[in-house]
Amino acid sequence: INNSLITDNYAGFVGGIYNRGRATIKNTTVSHNNADSLTNGILNSNYGEMVISHSTISENGLITYGDAIWNIGTLEIINSTISGNDGAGIDNDQDSIGPGSVTLDFVTFSDNGVALGGASGTFTIRNTLFGPHNIQACGTHITVIKQGVNMDTDGSCNVTTVSPNSLKLGPLYNNGGKTRTHELGQNSVAIDAATGDCPVNDQRGVHRPQYAACDVGSYEFDDPVVKKEPEQICKYTSLVNLFCRFGPNSKDYPEVDSFMPGQESEVLGISPDGLFVQVIGPVNDEPCYVPAEKEFGELSGVCDDLPTLDPPPTPVPTDKPADGGGDGPKEGC
């Protein structure tokens, strides 16, 4: 589910999304959904595998009290916001079939009944932010594995506790990008506080880090008064319609994004042979490679000291006869 809005739905058991298979949700808002029981927004069942990124789960359960997300399967959330839901932001439970496993990476919670609830299963949280909540951030019976720097405002998650005033968390608002976010105010304690590796960009698509280190939560502070000037980065401008590929070779790697003439993107590095540069794809906001030759595109800004990037492994070719006949690939779809 990409670039979508799932809102104002009602059902007896699950209001928004019910997943029993494999689901990927990106650049999507799930809001104002209700159900009589189970969960208002999303149910990831004991068979379910779900990844949510660059998305906002908000204001579900305003009519009937219940959780925004109930997970029994395997759930991973990256660069996303869970806000303003009546019940738990995420209720996590393990059963005889489902592992009840939740991984949170650079996620912002605020204004839910509680952020994390449940009686079993495990939460793994990394560089995640828990703003003020109506009851408390973390329930008393959950199991949490903590990595990086995580922050809350009430001490219930047993992580770094900060005051709401020092956090300077703004309201849920359209701060750019495809989904609403809680911005960090200037001098917030969450700015530059994350540790370890961080995603290439934040929920909105803003490059991480803007300053010395990445920020905790889904929002990377980029106040236009103090942010890096554009000339301090290297940019690529496409001159033609152009595929952006997974690796630096048009023969060995599939296309994962595309440019139209005149589109710009930040350059992350250059291939060892100097023939390709890695950029942020203009559509999917993910790293990919384009040719460095001037007939395809132009580099501008600070491009003299680009890091040399080792190419990703080349895809394994399918076992298919040269004449195109036979049964096709022997494995996979």
Side-chain angles (χ1 to χ4, degrees):
I1 304 173
N2 295 323
N3 305 311
S4 298
L5 173 64
I6 297 174
T7 187
D8 292 317
N9 298 287
Y10 169 81
F13 294 101
V14 183
I17 301 171
Y18 177 27
N19 177 54
R20 290 174 56 87
R22 295 180 180 177
T24 301
I25 301 170
K26 184 176 181 180
N27 290 326
T28 290
T29 295
V30 181
S31 68
H32 295 96
N33 301 289
N34 288 277
D36 289 331
S37 62
L38 290 187
T39 185
N40 290 301
I42 299 172
L43 171 60
N44 189 44
S45 78
N46 40 22
Y47 298 98
E49 299 176 9
M50 179 177 286
V51 178
I52 301 174
S53 67
H54 300 82
S55 296
T56 294
I57 316 299
S58 64
E59 301 153 313
N60 296 283
L62 299 182
I63 298 175
T64 58
Y65 185 84
D67 305 319
I69 302 173
W70 184 23
N71 176 68
I72 313 171
T74 301
L75 172 64
E76 181 179 4
I77 304 180
I78 310 161
N79 265 338
S80 295
T81 297
I82 300 176
S83 175
N85 302 285
D86 268 6
I90 304 175
D91 190 337
N92 186 45
D93 292 297
Q94 179 182 9
D95 67 9
S96 59
I97 301 174
S101 173
V102 175
T103 301
L104 305 173
D105 209 4
F106 289 87
V107 178
T108 294
F109 290 83
S110 186
D111 303 319
N112 304 285
V114 298
L116 307 181
S120 58
T122 301
F123 290 96
T124 300
I125 61 175
R126 189 171 80 93
N127 296 317
T128 288
L129 185 61
F130 301 93
H133 286 77
N134 297 333
I135 301 174
Q136 62 187 33
C138 292
T140 56
H141 301 294
I142 64 174
T143 300
V144 180
I145 299 172
K146 296 175 281 290
Q147 300 174 356
V149 174
N150 304 280
M151 296 180 174
D152 69 10
T153 58
D154 61 11
S156 63
C157 297
N158 194 27
V159 296
T160 301
T161 301
V162 300
S163 70
N165 287 337
S166 66
L167 188 57
K168 302 182 186 300
L169 196 65
L172 190 65
Y173 189 71
N174 180 7
N175 296 302
K178 299 178 180 179
T179 50
R180 293 184 296 166
T181 53
H182 290 280
E183 70 173 349
L184 297 175
Q186 194 163 355
N187 299 319
S188 168
V189 292
I191 296 173
D192 292 352
T195 61
D197 295 335
C198 57
V200 174
N201 47 44
D202 75 351
Q203 180 174 340
R204 301 165 298 152
V206 172
H207 182 66
R208 292 186 188 262
Q210 286 287 305
Y211 304 106
C214 292
D215 302 346
V216 176
S218 65
Y219 185 98
E220 185 76 9
F221 178 77
D222 64 333
D223 192 312
V225 176
V226 296
K227 71 177 183 180
K228 293 180 180 178
E229 294 298 327
E231 61 266 21
Q232 296 304 309
I233 63 173
C234 179
K235 282 189 175 182
Y236 179 87
T237 303
S238 176
L239 300 178
V240 296
N241 290 317
L242 189 64
F243 284 126
C244 197
R245 297 180 179 272
F246 179 69
N249 191 314
S250 60
K251 296 180 179 179
D252 298 332
Y253 296 96
E255 61 269 14
V256 295
D257 212 321
S258 61
F259 282 83
M260 293 188 295
Q263 281 190 308
E264 293 184 344
S265 180
E266 182 176 350
V267 177
L268 303 178
I270 192 166
S271 61
D273 57 12
L275 298 179
F276 292 84
V277 290
Q278 187 188 58
V279 300
I280 301 296
V283 178
N284 297 324
D285 296 325
E286 300 291 345
C288 54
Y289 287 83
V290 291
E293 289 94 335
K294 294 182 179 179
E295 62 184 290
F296 297 108
E298 295 177 340
L299 298 180
S300 60
V302 181
C303 303
D304 293 335
D305 297 316
L306 293 174
T308 300
L309 305 174
D310 291 331
T314 55
V316 177
T318 57
D319 187 4
K320 187 175 182 179
D323 61 2
D327 297 326
K330 294 185 180 302
E331 296 181 357
C333 178

